[in-house]
Amino acid sequence: MTQENGNNRDDRMHKNFRKINITEDPEEKRDPAESQPDDKEGKTWTAEEDASTSDVDALKEDAACARQEAAENHDRFLRACAELENYKKRAQRQMDDHRKFSNTELIKDLLPVVDNLERAVAAFRENRQTTEACMAEGVEMTLQEIQNILKKHNVTPVESQGKPFDPNYHEAVMQEPSDAHPENTVVNELQKGYLLHDRLIRPAMVVVSKGASTK
């Protein structure tokens, strides 16, 4: 009786053990080493992440430096624009002043001539007995004074009388025959021409010879 009971108990334990083996989750039988991450792969991923983070930080730093440099360049650009605008205004004022007052020295030299003419006119009105000779002498003196002023300011007359006609300096208003002058020669000067330094400021108005007259 005791042996039979022991056999029955062994049979039930064997069946239960088989049931347990059949119902066990296959996942639970997996090798624990398979569920663990590869230490080598984990270390490689961490190094790549660190490198990526370092690159991002470097890019952020470069961007910050670029923004600062751009701001500084913009500030310098605005300053340069302001300086250029001030220079243009200053140059324009100087040019306007030059145009207004460039003839100051000439006017100052002409004022004594005006003074002399005013005194001459006043004297003539007070004394009607002034002779024509005195008037002529006064006019000649005034003319000489003006010519000296023009010479001082590098204004010289164009030589025309008896010279070959030159369209660069002469303006022919008429032609006339002349036995004393060859053809295309200035025989008479109606109005003087003048040069300022080497530049013509007014051509001379002249009469030009057509050559000897034919009878």
Side-chain angles (χ1 to χ4, degrees), residues 11-28:
D11 290 340
R12 288 194 300 269
M13 291 178 63
H14 181 70
K15 289 179 181 179
N16 290 334
F17 180 75
R18 291 182 62 191
K19 288 181 181 179
I20 292 172
N21 288 339
I22 294 172
T23 58
E24 282 180 350
D25 187 356
E27 294 293 335
E28 294 179 358

Side-chain angles (χ1 to χ4, degrees), residues 44-56:
T44 303
W45 182 82
T46 302
E48 292 177 353
E49 184 183 35
D50 291 342
S52 177
T53 302
S54 177
D55 292 341
V56 171

Side-chain angles (χ1 to χ4, degrees), residues 26-82:
E27 294 293 335
E28 294 179 358
K29 304 296 292 182
R30 183 176 296 174
D31 187 358
E34 294 180 359
S35 62
Q36 297 297 326
D38 189 353
D39 291 340
K40 185 176 181 180
E41 292 181 358
K43 291 179 181 178
T44 303
W45 182 82
T46 302
E48 292 177 353
E49 184 183 35
D50 291 342
S52 177
T53 302
S54 177
D55 292 341
V56 171
D57 292 340
L59 290 174
K60 289 181 178 180
E61 184 178 355
D62 292 342
C65 292
R67 284 193 295 269
Q68 182 178 358
E69 184 177 358
E72 292 175 355
N73 290 336
H74 182 65
D75 183 66
R76 283 195 292 267
F77 170 75
L78 294 178
R79 290 177 182 273
C81 289

Side-chain angles (χ1 to χ4, degrees), residues 103-144:
N103 295 325
T104 300
E105 293 300 321
L106 176 60
I107 300 303
K108 287 171 63 177
D109 290 337
L110 286 174
L111 290 178
V113 179
V114 175
D115 295 338
N116 291 335
L117 288 174
E118 288 177 346
R119 283 192 289 266
V121 171
F124 177 76
R125 288 176 177 173
E126 291 177 0
N127 185 7
R128 295 290 181 174
Q129 304 300 322
T130 304
T131 63
E132 294 181 359
C134 291
M135 290 295 297
E137 183 181 359
V139 170
E140 288 177 356
M141 291 176 61
T142 303
L143 177 60
Q144 184 64 44

